[in-house]
Amino acid sequence: MAEYTPTAIGLFPWAAATGMAMHGAGLTVTESMGMSLIVFGGTAQLGTLPLVTSGASYWLIVCTALILNMRFFIYSAALAPAFAAARKKTRLLAGYLMSDGVMATFSARLLAERDQDKRLGMYMGPSLLNWLCWQLFTLVGILAGTLLPAHWPIGFLATISLLMLATPMISNLPMAAAATATAVVLILLHSLPFRLGFLLAILAGMLTGYLIEHTVRKDTHAA
C-alpha cells in the first residue's frame, strides 16, 4: 500500500476539480457526494454531469456512463483469473473499487502472484486507499465550491477537467481522428432531442478511431 500512497495523494487536483464542478453545476453537497459514491469514476462523473444538469433522459445518462467506463470491462476480463477462487461478494467489491491507477501499478503482479490471500491484499489495500482519497478529496472540492461567491462561473470546471484528461491522450492519428469526429458530430447534432447528440458523438468518435487504427495497422503490415 505504501508504494501506491503517492499515486493516491496525486488524485487531489482531479478529485477536487470534480467536486467543484459538481457543485458548480448546481448539485447540493449531498447530491454531489452521492454521485461520487455511486459512480466512483471521474470520467463518468464529469462526462455525464452536463446530461444530468440539462435534464437528459436516464437511459442516455446510463448509456453515456457505460461507454465512458468501457475500459473497465477490459480491466475486469484481464484480472478475472486473479479472482477466480474469490467469493462473489469479494468480486463485486473488487469491481466497484477498480481504478486506472491500481490496474497500472499492480495488474501484472496480481496475475503472477499464486497466493490468493496475497492477491486480495495486493489489490484491496491500494484500492481502498484510492477510494478513500478520492471521496475525501472530492468532498474538499465540493466544500471549497460552497465557499466561493455564487456568481463565480465554476461550472466550466467540468469541461476544463475533461480537456485536461483528454488532451494528453491525443498523441497519435487514431486518437486525433476520434477527437475530431466526436467534436464535429456533437456540433452538428447538438440540437437533437433528449441530448442524443452526446451519445452519437461518442459512438462516432469510437468508430472513427477504430477504423483509422485498423487502416494504419493494415498499411504497416503491408509495408
Side-chain angles (χ1 to χ4, degrees), residues 207-219:
L207 179 61
T208 301
Y210 169 77
L211 291 175
I212 295 297
E213 183 175 11
H214 180 73
T215 301
V216 170
R217 286 181 179 179
K218 188 175 180 180
D219 292 341

Side-chain angles (χ1 to χ4, degrees), residues 9 11 13 15 22 30-31 45 52 58 60 66 72-74 77 79 102-103 128 147 177 198 204-205 217 223:
I9 295 176
L11 291 171
M22 289 190 292
T30 302
E31 290 170 341
Q45 287 173 235
V52 173
Y58 290 124
L60 179 58
L66 287 174
F72 289 109
F73 289 101
I74 301 174
L79 284 185
V102 173
M103 278 295 299
L128 287 169
L147 298 176
F198 283 93
R217 286 181 179 179

Side-chain angles (χ1 to χ4, degrees), residues 40 92-99 102 123-124 127-128 130-131:
F40 183 45
L92 289 174
L93 178 60
Y96 169 70
L97 294 174
M98 186 171 289
S99 65
V102 173
Y123 180 87
M124 290 299 184
S127 294
L128 287 169
N130 186 85
W131 179 88

